[in-house]
Amino acid sequence: MPMPSRNNASPPVLTFAALNAAPHELYRDLRPEFPFVQREDGAFLVLRADDVQSLVSDPRTRQIETELLRMRGIASGPVMELVSNSMLFSNGDTHRRRRQPLSRSFAFRMMEGLRPSVRSLADELVATSLCDGEMRLRDDYAAAIPAITIASILGIPRSDVPLFTSMAYRVSKVLTTSWTQADLPDIEAATSELSAYVAALIDDRRRQPQGDFLSDYVASVDQAGELSAVEAIMQIVSVVLGGTDTTRAAIVIMVGLLLDRRDGLWQVLRDRPALVPAAVLESLRYEPAVASIPRLSVEDICLDDYVIPKGRPVILSTMSGLRDPQIFADPDQFNLLRPVGRWHPVFGGGEHRCLGEALARIEMEEALAALCTSLPRLQTQDQSLRIHGHAGIRQVEELVVRWR
Ligand code: HEM
């Protein structure tokens, strides 16, 4: 496809395979010359930090709604129902209506109250494996923390947590770029199951309010009368979706990066726990668990001398922006003392900025603090950290860690 451009040297068109093989290297090499590249599926990947930051909430873009699903030939079914009713994939008043009943509950101040229980969960998970001398960091630790935390926010009985966790991870695959047509039947089935499960929880709280998060949510939704029954369900499913795979990947990446360094930083964190929040933020910059933010161009967007035409999917590459030397000095260095500012770009910006940022940071901080404190000799078994993906939620392979 010829590149729409007003310039001779057009930004290259890259395959998924090339982008996934060495995303940091490609972004680093292309960013100085081109503000964006095109992907083989027709999406435009914006590479520079300033552009990423401004286009997130620029009137020339809007949130992708159902376009990506339609591009993949999906026009109906449970996933379409989720996407077309979720705050994550909506705009303007529809988005505000859907997000508003949850905004207050997820604010930093409210989430701080959960910190002690997140920490006891992390300590409990470490204690469970302590005698084994090793554990699967992804499946036995990083996956459990966000899933059990969300389950407890939703008041899900502990006996249902394994079922809930498995549904959540099966559904959350839909937000990655790695699912194929063969995965679809399971994603569809899991979406139906999770939606039905959440619908039953909502019904239960409507009949018997329990003074918990979900009872307050149902009461505020009913009082405002602005959400349909399916919308009320899908905002909760969206929270589950947004809050599981993302944080699981982020915890594995953070711990894997720190252990791979083998320079004693692990012990430093144990002795100076005040550095833990900085380690969380720097790991999210250095290897973000969410690599991009999707938008659609609603008019032609001119960057330098190149044009992203109207009506195209635009992938704002936070992964590239977070290593842009225009903003981050010496970007390929992992540096705990680096200032990242009040609003870490990995959580997006504008009206869709991550609803779960406070919770994600608390989960990461407590997950790291529990490990550093209890397992000062932690190291990787024989594999180092393996991360896949150049956009969307990135995938991490299992990482076995040991302490004997
Ligand atoms: C390290 C972990 C996380 C990262 C990097 C992350 C990143 C993001 C980003 C970049 C967005 C903006 C998407 C856009 O503008 O299109 C977003 C939105 C969202 N996130 Fe997160 N997230 C994380 C954890 C969480 C958690 C723990 C929750 C919930 C408990 C959550 C719930 C959501 C929701 C519901 C939205 C949609 C907000 C809206 O559309 O208004 N996220 N997240």
Side-chain angles (χ1 to χ4, degrees), residues 17-296:
L19 281 159
N20 285 334
H24 283 302
E25 290 74 5
L26 268 177
Y27 294 151
R28 186 188 56 219
D29 293 347
L30 293 166
R31 199 189 301 114
E33 196 175 350
F34 301 111
F36 60 83
V37 294
Q38 201 177 342
R39 204 169 58 187
E40 59 181 328
D41 63 349
F44 289 76
L45 272 89
V46 173
L47 302 179
R48 296 178 185 156
D50 280 345
D51 294 333
V52 167
Q53 207 58 15
S54 61
L55 287 174
V56 125
S57 51
D58 186 297
R60 291 169 299 170
T61 69
R62 68 160 168 77
Q63 180 61 290
I64 291 258
E65 294 178 358
T66 54
E67 291 86 356
L68 288 182
L69 281 189
R70 291 181 196 284
M71 272 167 66
R72 298 191 71 160
I74 300 169
S76 60
V79 170
M80 181 51 99
E81 186 175 53
L82 163 59
V83 167
S84 46
N85 284 289
S86 166
M87 74 176 104
L88 185 50
F89 301 102
S90 53
N91 286 286
D93 281 345
T94 306
H95 171 256
R96 274 189 289 282
R97 259 190 318 107
R98 292 174 177 173
R99 179 167 167 135
Q100 202 273 332
L102 287 164
S103 312
R104 206 166 45 89
S105 314
F106 278 89
F108 273 80
R109 201 165 37 85
M110 302 296 279
M111 287 293 117
E112 269 307 317
L114 288 177
R115 190 183 283 279
S117 58
V118 174
R119 178 54 180 269
S120 8
L121 169 61
D123 285 337
E124 185 189 319
L125 292 167
V126 171
T128 308
S129 301
L130 206 57
C131 294
D132 300 337
E134 63 172 49
M135 78 174 159
R136 297 181 305 167
L137 182 71
R138 187 188 65 179
D139 289 356
D140 296 339
Y141 191 70
I145 290 173
I148 296 177
T149 303
I150 292 188
S152 81
I153 291 175
L154 297 179
I156 290 173
R158 199 75 194 232
S159 55
D160 275 7
V161 166
L163 168 74
F164 172 79
T165 305
S166 117
M167 287 188 293
Y169 283 114
R170 283 162 64 212
V171 179
S172 64
K173 231 183 184 170
V174 79
L175 290 186
T176 69
T177 51
S178 60
W179 63 273
T180 65
Q181 219 54 25
D183 298 316
L184 192 57
D186 189 60
I187 297 176
E188 296 273 28
T191 308
S192 289
E193 290 159 31
L194 183 59
S195 308
Y197 187 90
V198 170
L201 286 178
I202 287 181
D203 274 354
D204 181 64
R205 293 310 190 284
R206 187 168 282 129
R207 274 198 315 268
Q208 281 184 306
Q210 293 176 17
D212 60 357
F213 162 82
L214 206 54
S215 306
D216 290 352
Y217 171 74
V218 172
S220 78
V221 164
D222 288 351
Q223 196 188 7
E226 289 189 338
L227 297 190
S228 68
V230 70
E231 282 181 311
I233 296 164
M234 292 312 174
Q235 303 333 302
I236 300 296
V237 175
S238 303
V239 166
V240 174
L241 202 69
T244 39
D245 222 0
T246 46
T247 316
R248 167 176 71 169
I251 292 172
V252 176
I253 292 171
M254 165 181 69
V255 176
L257 283 174
L258 291 165
L259 295 181
D260 279 354
R261 294 171 59 89
R262 297 180 195 282
D263 60 357
L265 192 53
W266 191 257
Q267 284 76 17
V268 171
L269 287 169
R270 183 208 161 127
D271 298 338
R272 295 179 59 195
L275 285 174
V276 164
V280 167
L281 296 178
E282 180 63 347
S283 74
L284 285 166
R285 183 198 71 82
Y286 191 79
E287 285 291 6
V290 178
S292 65
I293 297 170
R295 290 292 182 266
L296 192 89

